[in-house]
Amino acid sequence: GERMVKVDQQSIPPPQSCGDAGSCLCVFDIDRTLTGRQGDTRQCPGNQVLDLYDEAYGGGKATLSALTSAGISTTFCNECLLGITSAGQGSGPGTAWNNYILDSIMRGETHDAFMQRAPQARRWSFGTDVQSPFVLQQGNKMKQESVELIRQWYGGQGVCIEPGEVYFFEDRTENVLPFEDKGLNSREISCGSRDPSLYGGSGMVGYCGARPEEVQRVKGNLLCQ
């Protein structure tokens, strides 16, 4: 019987080759996560207004959240690959604002090195047709589907990321807990500032956007307290 066991063990195919075993992945929503309310630096003093048009939520000058003003590279995500999953589309592929997101916001040491190796990844994907790590127009409560596909997309590029090493950051309350079904981590951000007017003042979405200290490498699916 022992000999059978050994043969069985030998017949297991080797795991797919991973140049970067132990990688992590940080995925972000765009509106009110990477950004804050357009033009408001009075209520959001850490935010930064750009001379670019952001059509989200009625439109205005694109305004970086405290997180993106400081830089994603100031958080643990500097060591991780990066991605986006948004229900919106920024101002649309090819616009100056969307180019800025790809070229100036999605930056970190590990991610930059990957993008140098895989420049074809600098493109937008849509919904569940994931051909890159940057996904637009994926419906609310369904974002976990796209984030899992981003994880798999990286796997296809030879970068293995365990589901438990995926971290999603999002201001919209209803999008956080569904990630549990996929075994992915998720965290609601913009906790201290919620939009007082959208959705009947329900606080469903953020106002100032993510702060650097909210981007934590914590396991689980966490709502604002």
Side-chain angles (χ1 to χ4, degrees):
E2 276 183 46
R3 186 163 165 276
M4 282 297 293
V5 171
K6 283 175 184 165
V7 170
D8 283 351
Q9 283 175 340
Q10 284 170 348
S11 69
I12 296 170
Q16 69 181 98
S17 67
C18 274
D20 299 281
S23 296
C24 49
L25 170 62
C26 292
V27 183
F28 298 88
D29 168 51
I30 297 178
D31 304 321
R32 307 294 174 87
T33 296
L34 298 179
T35 66
R37 164 86 176 145
Q38 289 101 325
D40 192 342
T41 53
R42 193 177 61 81
Q43 290 187 64
C44 311
N47 291 13
Q48 182 184 345
V49 181
L50 304 177
D51 201 17
L52 298 169
Y53 183 72
D54 170 18
E55 72 172 28
Y57 291 130
K61 284 193 172 183
T63 301
L64 303 179
S65 65
L67 166 67
T68 49
S69 188
I72 288 171
S73 62
T74 63
T75 72
F76 83 92
C77 295
N78 189 50
E79 304 158 33
C80 305
L81 291 152
L82 304 179
I84 285 172
T85 297
S86 177
Q89 60 160 5
S91 288
T95 60
W97 169 229
N98 281 50
N99 288 337
Y100 184 93
I101 293 170
L102 291 178
D103 297 335
S104 300
I105 295 179
M106 290 286 104
R107 299 299 300 272
E109 202 171 340
T110 298
H111 187 72
D112 287 357
F114 173 83
M115 293 300 287
Q116 283 184 328
R117 294 201 308 274
Q120 73 280 5
R122 190 199 173 283
R123 56 180 288 200
W124 296 102
S125 293
F126 299 90
T128 52
D129 182 15
V130 175
Q131 312 289 329
S132 72
F134 311 113
V135 179
L136 304 174
Q137 295 176 340
Q138 172 60 324
N140 291 312
K141 302 189 190 175
M142 299 298 295
K143 292 187 175 185
Q144 66 279 3
E145 306 291 338
S146 297
V147 174
E148 169 59 17
L149 289 169
I150 292 172
R151 185 186 76 84
Q152 293 177 22
W153 180 88
Y154 274 118
Q157 309 298 310
V159 184
C160 290
I161 304 162
E162 295 292 326
E165 285 301 329
V166 177
Y167 302 87
F168 180 66
F169 300 96
E170 159 79 74
D171 70 292
R172 192 180 178 103
T173 309
E174 66 183 354
N175 289 333
V176 176
L177 297 182
F179 277 75
E180 187 176 8
D181 298 342
K182 299 275 182 197
L184 307 169
N185 304 299
S186 56
R187 187 184 186 103
E188 185 178 8
I189 53 73
S190 194
C191 288
S193 61
R194 309 302 295 178
D195 194 289
S197 56
L198 290 172
Y199 301 98
S202 63
M204 169 70 84
V205 297
Y207 191 81
C208 294
R211 303 193 317 275
E213 58 269 26
E214 293 180 304
V215 178
Q216 301 282 347
R217 192 170 194 161
V218 176
K219 305 281 189 189
N221 309 96
L222 306 166
L223 295 176
C224 296
Q225 293 303 309

